[in-house]
Amino acid sequence: MEPSIYDLLKDQETLLGNNVDPYSYISPSAYDTAWLAIVPDSNTPIQPMFVECFNWILDNQKEQGFWGDVDKRGLPTIETLPATIACVIALNKWNEGRNKQDKGLSFLEANLEKLLTQHSESFSRWFVIVFPSMVALVSSVGLGFNFSDRSKLALMNLSYNRAQILQREEIFDENHYIPLASCLEALPPSSYDHADIIKNLNSDGSLYQSPSATAQAFMATGNADCLIYLQSVVQRCPQGVPQSFPIDEELLKLSIVDHIQKLGLAEHFKQDTGRILAEAYRNYKNKEYSSSESGQQEIRQHVENNPEYFSSVMLDVFKATELMFPEEIELDEARSFSRNSLEKVLSIGQCPSLTNVIEHEINIPWITQMGHLQNRMWIEEENNNFWMGKGSFHMLQSPHKDNLRQLAIKNFESRQSTYKHELEELKRWTRINRLSDLGFGRERTTYCYFAIASCDSVGASLRMMVSKLAILITVTDDFYDTEGSILELRALTDAIRRWDVIGLSGHNKTIFKALDNFMTLVAAKHQQQHGMDISYYHRAVVSACNCYYFIPRSPPSPLN
C-alpha cells in the first residue's frame, strides 16, 4: 500500500531536529573516502589505517558497478569516473573485492566514452586536474582498461588542459578559490616538496580542508597534524567522508530549509524552520562583519575568476535583489554583478545541474513567479544541490532526498486536487449567479482563480473569496466599459449606493444580485469566525468604490 502524506510526514518528523547529525544530510564523497581507505596503518602497513572508509567502499558500490552520486534521472554523474577509479585502486591496494574491482572496471569501459562526450563542454576544473591523473594511477598498478578512440581523444584534450593549468598556476597559489594543492593527490610528486606542504597546512592540520589532499599529504610527510585531522574526519563521518571538512553546519541547515521551501513543504515544517532561521539571525546579529576595500576587491576577483564555484551563491544574491527600493544603490550593483556572473556561468556551461534554474530566475521576474508551479519545477528538477564544493555540488543524501521528494509529490498532488475542487466550486458559483451567461466581456473564472491560487500564503477560504471578488470586478468593469448604456450605468450605480435591487433588470440585476450574494457570504463568514456583523461596512465601501466606475459624460460644448 502506497504511504499517505501523513505517513511520510511522520517519517520526517526528526528531519530538522536538534539531535540530528548535520553531516547525515549530505552525500559522502566516494572519491575522498577512497583516498582515506588507501592510507596504510602506521603500525601495520599491510592493512588500511581507516577501516571504516575501506568498509564503506565494500558496502557502497552501485549495482551498475560505479561509486558516487547519480543525477535526477538516476544515471551516474561525471564525478563517478574518478571516484570509481579511486575505489578500485583502494580495493586493489589491500587485495580485496576482486569481483567489485572487475565490476568497476567494466563500468568504466562501458560508460567512459558516453560520459566524457556528454560533458565535453562542461568539465569542471577539478575534473580536468584529477581525472587524467587517476587514469595514469590505475594503469600504474596494472589495472588498466580499454579506451575507445573517442575516449582517447577526450583524454588527450583533458591532459593538455591539465598541463596548461599546472604550468599556469602555483601549487599553493591562494589567488585561486580552489588552489591546486587541494588536489595534491592528483599532482606529480616532483611539483612540490614536503616543506611546502607543512608550511601551507591549515590550523586544523588539513590541506585546504580537503580529505583526499590531506591523506596524500600525510602519506608523503607523516605529519602528525595531518593524521589528527584525518582521524577527526573519520570519527565525525564514519559512514563516508565529505569532499571538504569541516562544513558550515549553519549553512547546511539553511540550505535544507531553502530546499524544503522550494519543494512546497514549508507549511509542514514551520516549527523547525522557524527555529533554524531565528538561530541563524541571532548568530548573524552577534557577529561583526567587516571587510576592507582591498578585501572586498579580493572577494570580487575570486568570484569573477571562478564563477562556477560561486554559482549557487550568486543565484541567491540575484534572487535577494528582486525586492529593493530605487535608492538602494548597493543592492542594484549586487544585482548587476550577480547577473553578470550567472550569465558567465551559462556561457561557459560548467554548471549543467544549475542551468535550468539560473535561466528560469534570470528570465522570469520573481514578482511574476507562481509558487505552486515553482514547487513543481523544483520537484522535477530534483538536483538537490546546496553549494559548490571542491569537485561538485554538495547534495542531499538519501534517504532524506528520496523521502522529501516523495513527500513533495504527495503534497503537490494533494494541493492540486484541492485546487481542482475549488475551481469547480467557483464555476458552479458563477453559473448559479448567472455571471457565465451574461454573453459579453471576459468570463475569467479560471484565470482569476489561477492568479489567486498562485499565492501560497492564501488560505482556502480567503482564496475562494478573493477569486469571487476578482470575477465580480472583471465582469462589472467590462459592463461599465463596453456593454452598459448610460441609463443602465446610472441605474446600477444608484442601486449600489442604495443597496436595493428595485428598479433593476437584465444585466444590471444579475450583477447586483451576484454582488449582494457575495457580500452576504463574506459577512456571514466573518460573523461565524469573529462574532461581528460587517455587512453595513462592506456595503458602504463598495458604494464608495462604485462611484469611481461611473463619471457622468459632459454635454458637448456649444459651437463658437
Side-chain angles (χ1 to χ4, degrees), residues 361-513:
E361 292 296 336
I362 288 178
N363 296 326
I364 302 179
W366 165 75
I367 198 171
T368 65
Q369 294 177 9
M370 297 183 174
H372 189 52
L373 298 184
Q374 293 287 110
N375 299 151
R376 175 170 178 168
M377 185 193 77
W378 191 252
I379 293 170
E380 291 176 343
E381 192 67 25
E382 192 51 27
N383 286 313
N384 295 312
N385 295 329
F386 289 163
W387 68 91
M388 190 66 180
K390 174 180 62 180
S392 61
F393 281 94
H394 289 283
M395 300 175 69
L396 186 65
Q397 182 177 195
S398 296
H400 297 309
K401 176 177 68 174
D402 300 330
N403 291 344
L404 277 178
R405 185 172 187 272
Q406 192 177 6
L407 176 58
I409 292 173
K410 283 284 186 183
N411 188 63
F412 182 90
E413 291 173 345
S414 175
R415 287 165 57 191
Q416 192 77 344
S417 176
T418 298
Y419 292 156
K420 288 180 179 179
H421 174 74
E422 290 178 354
L423 181 57
E424 288 303 315
E425 282 293 305
L426 201 58
K427 289 180 177 179
R428 188 174 68 85
W429 178 81
T430 59
R431 288 195 298 270
I432 290 174
N433 287 276
R434 301 177 59 193
L435 294 175
S436 57
D437 300 329
L438 290 175
F440 67 84
R442 303 162 289 172
E443 202 286 290
R444 295 286 185 91
T445 302
T446 303
Y447 176 87
C448 291
Y449 178 76
F450 188 82
I452 304 305
S454 66
C455 302
D456 294 335
S457 59
V458 177
S461 179
L462 182 58
R463 184 164 55 238
M464 291 296 284
M465 287 188 180
V466 176
S467 297
K468 290 175 181 179
L469 180 59
I471 295 168
L472 282 169
I473 290 174
T474 302
V475 170
T476 308
D477 181 67
D478 286 341
F479 183 68
Y480 273 83
D481 281 348
T482 61
E483 182 68 18
S485 66
I486 293 293
L487 292 178
E488 287 175 322
L489 301 185
R490 287 184 185 277
L492 180 56
T493 303
D494 182 61
I496 291 177
R497 287 171 181 164
R498 295 181 288 107
W499 206 264
D500 192 340
V501 73
I502 295 176
L504 296 181
S505 61
H507 295 334
N508 271 347
K509 187 174 182 179
T510 299
I511 293 172
F512 182 86
K513 290 186 70 174

Side-chain angles (χ1 to χ4, degrees), residues 24 39 81 122 167 173 285 339 428 444 489 513 545:
S24 69
V39 178
L81 295 179
S122 59
Q167 183 179 0
D173 184 3
K285 294 291 286 184
R339 184 185 181 100
R428 188 174 68 85
R444 295 286 185 91
L489 301 185
K513 290 186 70 174
C545 292

Side-chain angles (χ1 to χ4, degrees), residues 156-255:
M156 287 176 58
N157 290 332
L158 283 168
S159 299
Y160 173 78
N161 291 333
R162 178 178 183 271
Q164 293 292 102
I165 293 174
L166 295 182
Q167 183 179 0
R168 184 171 62 245
E169 299 178 18
E170 298 290 335
I171 301 297
F172 298 97
D173 184 3
E174 295 189 5
N175 289 325
H176 286 85
Y177 175 65
I178 304 292
L180 281 174
S182 66
C183 305
L184 189 73
E185 75 284 354
L187 302 181
S190 59
S191 64
Y192 56 85
D193 58 46
H194 295 179
D196 283 335
I197 293 176
I198 296 173
K199 177 183 175 182
N200 286 276
L201 291 177
N202 290 17
S203 59
D204 61 2
S206 73
L207 197 58
Y208 300 106
Q209 298 183 336
S210 167
S212 59
T214 309
Q216 177 61 30
F218 172 69
M219 289 188 286
T221 67
N223 182 269
D225 291 335
C226 291
L227 177 58
I228 292 172
Y229 169 80
L230 294 173
Q231 289 172 336
S232 69
V233 175
V234 176
Q235 183 178 3
R236 190 72 175 81
C237 307
Q239 302 301 319
V241 305
Q243 58 180 299
S244 59
F245 181 90
I247 60 172
D248 186 332
E249 295 187 15
E250 185 172 270
L251 173 60
L252 177 56
K253 289 181 179 180
L254 289 173
S255 297

